Amino acid sequence: TIVGFVGASGSGKSTLIDILMGLIKPQSGNIYIDGKVLEEDNIKQWISKIGYVPQSIYLSDSSIMENIAFGLKIKDIDIEQVRKTAIIANIDKHIESLPEKYYTNVGERGMKLSGGQIQRIGIARALYNNPDVLIFDEATSALDSITEGVIMELIHKLGHKKTIIIIAHRINTLIGADNIFILKKGEILDSGRYNDLIEKSDFFKKIATSIKD
């Protein structure tokens, strides 16, 4: 399923994601993954199942291939898996059009690429280890609306193949989500699909118009 979390600044979105990812231990209660308590013994196993796409993608001054299979030495990179993830992330045609293809250097912090291309490489990176869960942490908030629409279409194509969690900056990015949770000051106010929340939640309508594009 595709699950969205939305709320104004300070509502607790980032803290919630850090708790879900096992980076912060809850002060009370437990996190359950498929009915099992998330604890020290299984936290590494859980983290290995997560692909994370942040708002700002860090690219090293190296090849596209190395940035997709980030952290691995060239000899350890599975180039076929790199190609597969590039296809899913819809960046493969651009890469194949380059003279050095996957060996093309991206420049310092990806200066040779556009914002949309950088985000696609970030998605390919998150997919490289074939995770069960993908988390998009305001991953499109720095993009223009047209590029964001393309990236969101890509994300929704992955829906129902993976568990996808989206922290939203713009409400309209959650239109296709299976469930949306509204956060305010660390509490869940309501949940439902986009159209249902627009009809029944005044707070949702308020943040839909107040969060800047």
Side-chain angles (χ1 to χ4, degrees):
T1 57
I2 299 174
V3 179
F5 290 98
V6 68
S9 297
S11 61
K13 301 188 299 295
S14 296
T15 302
L16 175 61
I17 289 302
D18 286 344
I19 291 173
L20 287 176
M21 291 177 64
L23 302 178
I24 295 177
K25 187 176 181 180
Q27 292 178 333
S28 63
N30 293 299
I31 299 295
Y32 290 85
I33 311 297
D34 290 338
K36 296 182 180 179
V37 177
L38 184 63
E39 51 193 359
E40 293 296 327
D41 292 343
N42 58 20
I43 196 166
K44 288 184 178 179
Q45 182 184 6
W46 168 238
I47 291 173
S48 70
K49 295 179 180 295
I50 297 173
Y52 179 70
V53 185
Q55 177 179 342
S56 179
I57 306 293
Y58 171 77
L59 296 185
S60 62
D61 189 4
S62 57
S63 68
I64 291 173
M65 177 176 65
E66 290 169 281
N67 273 288
I68 291 176
F70 195 67
L72 295 180
K73 296 179 180 179
I74 292 180
K75 65 181 181 67
D76 297 324
I77 294 174
D78 182 344
I79 185 60
E80 286 307 312
Q81 180 64 7
V82 169
R83 288 195 178 100
K84 286 179 183 177
T85 58
I87 290 170
I88 296 171
N90 198 22
I91 188 69
D92 58 305
K93 291 180 181 177
H94 173 72
I95 296 172
E96 293 291 348
S97 72
L98 300 171
E100 296 181 78
K101 301 185 185 333
Y102 287 88
Y103 294 88
T104 301
N105 189 285
V106 302
E108 187 176 354
R109 295 189 176 275
M111 62 183 296
K112 298 179 182 179
L113 302 172
S114 69
Q117 289 164 352
I118 290 173
Q119 287 303 112
R120 287 183 179 92
I121 287 178
I123 293 171
R125 177 189 292 174
L127 290 167
Y128 180 78
N129 290 316
N130 194 26
D132 295 322
V133 179
L134 281 172
I135 296 176
F136 294 87
D137 192 355
E138 298 196 16
T140 63
S141 62
L143 302 177
D144 62 82
S145 58
I146 294 175
T147 305
E148 180 185 48
V150 173
I151 296 295
M152 288 310 303
E153 184 179 350
L154 165 62
I155 292 171
H156 285 291
K157 283 182 179 178
L158 293 170
H160 307 129
K161 296 176 183 177
K162 309 275 184 186
T163 296
I164 296 179
I165 297 172
I166 302 172
I167 300 297
H169 175 74
R170 298 184 181 99
I171 300 295
N172 60 358
T173 61
L174 296 177
I175 289 175
D178 298 294
N179 204 3
I180 301 168
F181 291 92
I182 304 172
L183 297 177
K184 184 179 182 181
K185 295 182 179 179
E187 295 184 356
I188 294 175
L189 291 186
D190 208 340
S191 65
R193 286 181 174 269
Y194 183 93
N195 290 338
D196 295 333
L197 290 173
I198 281 290
E199 289 182 7
K200 72 176 183 176
S201 173
D202 291 335
F203 183 74
F204 188 77
K205 283 187 280 190
K206 182 180 178 180
I207 58 177
T209 55
S210 65
I211 292 180
K212 296 180 180 179
D213 288 338

